[in-house]
Amino acid sequence: MTADAIIQSLASGLLMGLLYGLIAVGLALIFGLMDVVNFAHGEFLMIAMYATFFLFVFFAIDPLLSAPLVAAALFVFGAVVYLLIVRFAVRAKANAGMVQIFSTFGLAIVMRGLTQYFFTPDYRSVTHSWLGGKTVSVAGIFLPVPQLVGALVAIAAFGGLYLFINRTDFGRALEATREDAGAVALVGIDKNKVFALGWGLGAALVGLAGAIMAIFFYIYPDVGASFALIAYVTVALGGFGSVFGAFAGGIIVGLVEATTAMLLPPSLKAVGIYAVYLLVVFVRPRGLFGSM
Amino acid sequence: MDTAFAERRRRDLIVAFVLAAIAATVPLFVKDTYVQNMMVMTLMWGALSQSWNILSGYCGQISLGHALYFGLGAYTTALLFTKFGVLPWFGMLGGGVISALIAMALGYPCFRLRGHYFVIATIVIAEIGLLLFHNWDWAGAAMGIEIPARGDSWLKFQFPRSKLPYFYFALALACVAWFVTWWLEDSKWGYWWRAVKDNPEAAESLGVVVFNSKMGAAAVSAFLVAVGGSFYAQYVFYIDPESVMGFQFSLLMALPAVLGGIGTLWGPMLGAVILIPLTELTRSYVGGSGKGIDLIVYGGLIIAISLARPQGLIGLFSFKHFAGLFSSKRKEAVR
């Protein structure tokens, strides 16, 4: 394998990794805020992809333009999911961990069922978007434009999230609640509102990822499942609760996946990611950037 | 051990014996193969969930990767039989031992992980197993293995023409899994597990003993699940990686226990008795169209039950009305 080919594949791995990071960062945000893993995260991604697809088919809106719309819709969806389901799951006195896993997992199954019911299990794709199928050449490396834009959107979203958390009142309330949910109640912050906001924000981020991914992935009811596990691994690799960790974890996962694909048959490319995850947590049981 | 606890345990044993005896007579009256299949599935998932409950319920180490052991049991049996003509009984035993050993080997590093890190590690390990079997040509790769039907025989443990023998084996398996749980509940391990679950830090200070008891739970749990997988392979005559090692199997194993009452003696069986027929019925009445209605019903049910009764349904089945003296022991049972 030539050096060019290696650089080429690492570059695509990096682009994909930034997208993985974008998918995972919402998960990390919610976890950091309230110690809950959303086991329907992949399905959030899936409905974002469907939303993008239908905006394209019915209103001819290009995925690039619909991304903010989809993110806004997912924001509302995430907040509603918190208010209708998660709010009650975190109150459970017995088996809190299992209740969280299974209530969000039940939601995932329902979402998959509803999608199948309304949209059939068929594979769909956005046939001709502005970016679809184009490549650019940077210093002799060919990069697919959709992935490149996805990576840029991911970087912008991370930047935006950073500014949001550090510069706005909502962001500060989020950070304060994350530090000490009991104390914020004393200063008059409604914990429920902050949590709903966190869920909305987490869902909006994965919505953004879904809109971009609709350009270059097939869309079907189970599509989320294949990305969900990667997202959990990404978050755990970086360290649960660390938004920066999810970002770094995404890049590592993308690069590891690209490397594995060079060494092993393509069908085994996920094994590299899983192996690295295990290796990292066995050495450092709280992930790379996680605190206990 | 206080006398109330001893009393409860004796009563549990009697109830189990009566229930098993009643269950054993049911197929004599119910000849419909659809219903018989449903009963076989209920007993099998009950047994699997009961086994899962040993590690995840009693010991508190939540595994969502038990499909690995289920698949290993199925594959060991199927491979030994089709490649070397080894009788499924030995395959069953071999699969169990292999699974138990692997569970301990994996437990060695994994038991240091806490909470979500542990859960995700179990998912990821099972997923690696799935991918490896997917790419393992000798084991049929993605195509899987077809187990040739050679006529009804206890020796070869296959009965293409009747469901009854499967029913009795599944019943026996469920009884064994239940009995092992019952027995371990009052063993040294049982007490250590509760300590590990209730207060890991305090238990950890007891050191190696805790670690060993987790390893024991993993081994017993994996062994029984592998026997279930081996049974499943002989029952359906065809296995492929997705159908015995897929993530959904790990969940299906956990669900009855979660719905019935995790970490309780009766929870998994109760959950299976409610959940499995419901799954089969929704699947055959509304799921056949591929419309996904069965998924909607199933998922909605999971959300509703886990939110409404986080401690599981077992609490609803109080033995109070059988005799007032049992009332004080429910707390113990729901732990």
Side-chain angles (χ1 to χ4, degrees):
Chain A
M1 189 177 282
T2 64
D4 271 4
I6 294 172
I7 294 169
Q8 172 76 54
S9 107
L10 287 179
S12 353
L14 179 67
L15 295 188
M16 204 54 221
L18 284 163
L19 259 179
Y20 286 151
L22 181 57
I23 299 173
V25 72
L27 203 63
L29 185 76
I30 293 168
F31 185 89
L33 188 63
M34 53 194 295
D35 258 14
V36 170
V37 174
N38 175 18
F39 272 80
H41 198 67
E43 280 61 34
F44 281 31
L45 182 78
M46 181 265 294
I47 58 161
M49 291 172 83
Y50 269 100
T52 311
F53 172 78
F54 285 114
L55 284 172
F56 177 75
V57 171
F58 292 127
F59 304 104
I61 304 176
D62 192 85
L64 212 51
L65 293 183
S66 57
L69 293 177
V70 172
L74 263 286
F75 180 92
V76 175
F77 182 76
V80 169
V81 165
Y82 170 74
L83 292 172
L84 290 183
I85 296 175
V86 183
R87 184 156 59 113
F88 302 102
V90 290
R91 270 192 216 154
K93 285 188 184 65
N95 303 317
M98 290 311 276
V99 172
Q100 287 158 20
I101 291 176
F102 280 91
S103 56
T104 53
F105 199 81
L107 175 69
I109 296 176
V110 171
M111 286 172 71
R112 255 183 258 172
L114 284 172
T115 319
Q116 224 179 80
Y117 181 74
F118 286 112
F119 311 139
T120 75
D122 294 347
Y123 281 52
R124 293 160 196 279
S125 59
V126 175
T127 41
H128 40 272
S129 61
W130 295 344
L131 305 175
K134 293 190 180 130
T135 51
V136 289
S137 160
V138 182
I141 305 163
F142 289 93
L143 300 173
V145 174
Q147 276 91 331
L148 188 63
V149 170
L152 292 176
V153 168
I155 293 171
F158 287 124
L161 184 68
Y162 179 82
L163 289 178
F164 177 83
I165 290 178
N166 290 299
R167 297 287 158 79
T168 65
D169 284 347
F170 261 145
R172 287 195 201 101
L174 207 70
E175 196 57 26
T177 312
R178 166 201 182 106
E179 304 258 308
D180 189 340
V184 294
L186 297 175
V187 294
I189 295 175
D190 183 352
K191 203 170 72 175
N192 261 325
K193 255 187 212 154
V194 176
F195 284 165
L197 174 81
W199 271 79
L201 207 56
L205 288 164
V206 76
L208 211 53
I212 300 295
M213 282 170 62
I215 306 174
F216 55 97
F217 269 104
Y218 281 110
I219 302 158
Y220 53 100
D222 288 346
V223 65
S226 44
F227 289 102
L229 185 55
I230 296 183
Y232 304 138
V233 168
T234 304
V235 172
L237 196 63
F240 270 110
S242 164
V243 168
F244 173 73
F247 184 62
I251 294 173
I252 295 170
V253 163
L255 291 176
V256 168
E257 188 184 54
T259 313
T260 324
M262 284 188 271
L263 302 172
L264 296 175
S267 52
L268 284 173
K269 69 177 180 182
V271 168
I273 303 175
Y274 303 153
V276 166
Y277 167 75
L278 293 175
L279 217 64
V280 167
V281 294
F282 288 163
V283 177
R284 225 184 120 78
R286 66 191 104 106
L288 289 173
F289 304 99
S291 48
M292 254 342 215
Chain B
M1 183 171 63
D2 58 299
T3 48
F5 183 55
E7 184 77 28
R8 198 210 93 203
R9 283 176 57 76
R10 215 187 55 201
R11 188 205 66 216
D12 283 335
L13 200 59
I14 296 166
V15 171
F17 188 78
V18 172
L19 286 179
I22 294 171
T25 59
V26 172
L28 302 179
F29 309 107
V30 183
K31 302 283 183 200
D32 185 59
T33 51
Y34 175 77
V35 181
Q36 286 189 344
N37 173 58
M38 201 150 85
M39 294 191 297
V40 172
M41 285 292 114
T42 304
L43 287 167
M44 185 189 85
W45 286 111
L48 291 171
S49 196
Q50 193 92 38
S51 319
W52 176 87
N53 192 39
I54 292 174
L55 178 63
S56 300
Y58 280 92
C59 194
Q61 310 296 306
I62 296 168
S63 159
L64 289 181
H66 261 45
L68 176 68
Y69 309 123
F70 187 79
L72 281 175
Y75 264 104
T76 308
T77 309
L79 283 172
L80 284 178
F81 184 67
T82 53
K83 304 275 178 183
F84 308 109
V86 177
L87 291 178
W89 297 105
F90 297 107
M92 206 172 264
L93 205 64
V97 171
I98 290 173
S99 288
L101 290 176
I102 289 183
M104 291 204 287
L106 293 174
Y108 193 77
C110 285
F111 285 141
R112 292 173 50 231
L113 303 177
R114 294 281 173 81
H116 294 290
Y117 293 98
F118 180 82
V119 177
I120 290 173
T122 60
I123 300 176
V124 156
I125 288 168
E127 207 65 21
I128 292 177
L130 174 73
L131 288 172
L132 292 181
F133 271 95
H134 241 291
N135 287 275
W136 189 11
D137 288 327
W138 186 72
M143 294 290 289
I145 304 171
E146 199 167 332
I147 298 161
R150 303 237 169 83
D152 291 9
S153 144
W154 272 110
L155 191 66
K156 296 195 176 65
F157 192 62
Q158 49 172 253
F159 307 91
R161 280 189 293 279
S162 167
K163 299 229 181 287
L164 271 191
Y166 290 117
F167 173 85
Y168 285 110
F169 185 87
L171 180 61
L173 186 62
C175 288
V176 169
W178 184 92
F179 184 76
V180 168
T181 311
W182 178 87
W183 179 55
L184 289 173
E185 210 182 36
D186 189 37
S187 70
K188 233 175 4 180
W189 279 1
Y191 291 99
W192 283 334
W193 291 342
R194 268 162 273 175
V196 174
K197 192 182 171 183
D198 291 346
N199 192 342
E201 280 76 23
E204 218 65 61
S205 64
L206 297 170
V208 69
V209 171
V210 168
F211 182 75
N212 287 353
S213 76
K214 283 185 187 176
M215 289 292 244
V220 173
S221 184
F223 183 93
L224 290 169
V225 167
V227 172
S230 164
F231 164 80
Y232 183 79
Q234 294 297 115
Y235 184 59
V236 296
F237 289 101
Y238 170 75
I239 59 168
D240 65 16
E242 205 60 53
S243 76
V244 291
M245 226 180 257
F247 179 59
Q248 72 275 14
F249 274 83
S250 300
L251 273 164
L252 280 170
M253 243 173 266
L255 270 178
V258 171
L259 298 188
I262 186 172
T264 67
L265 181 59
W266 291 98
M269 289 298 171
L270 175 69
V273 165
I274 296 168
L275 195 69
I276 305 304
L278 206 74
T279 315
E280 297 282 326
L281 288 172
T282 43
R283 190 181 296 155
S284 48
Y285 284 103
V286 290
S289 54
K291 286 280 218 173
I293 303 178
D294 54 330
L295 293 179
I296 302 169
V297 173
Y298 192 56
L301 203 79
I302 296 169
I303 302 176
I305 297 183
S306 54
L307 289 185
R309 286 204 67 81
Q311 69 276 47
L313 294 170
I314 192 73
L316 297 175
F317 289 75
S318 167
F319 285 90
K320 252 186 243 173
H321 31 268
F322 294 125
L325 60 141
F326 294 132
S327 61
S328 61
K329 291 125 217 171
R330 295 314 309 162
K331 264 183 256 132
E332 184 70 44
V334 175
R335 276 171 44 136

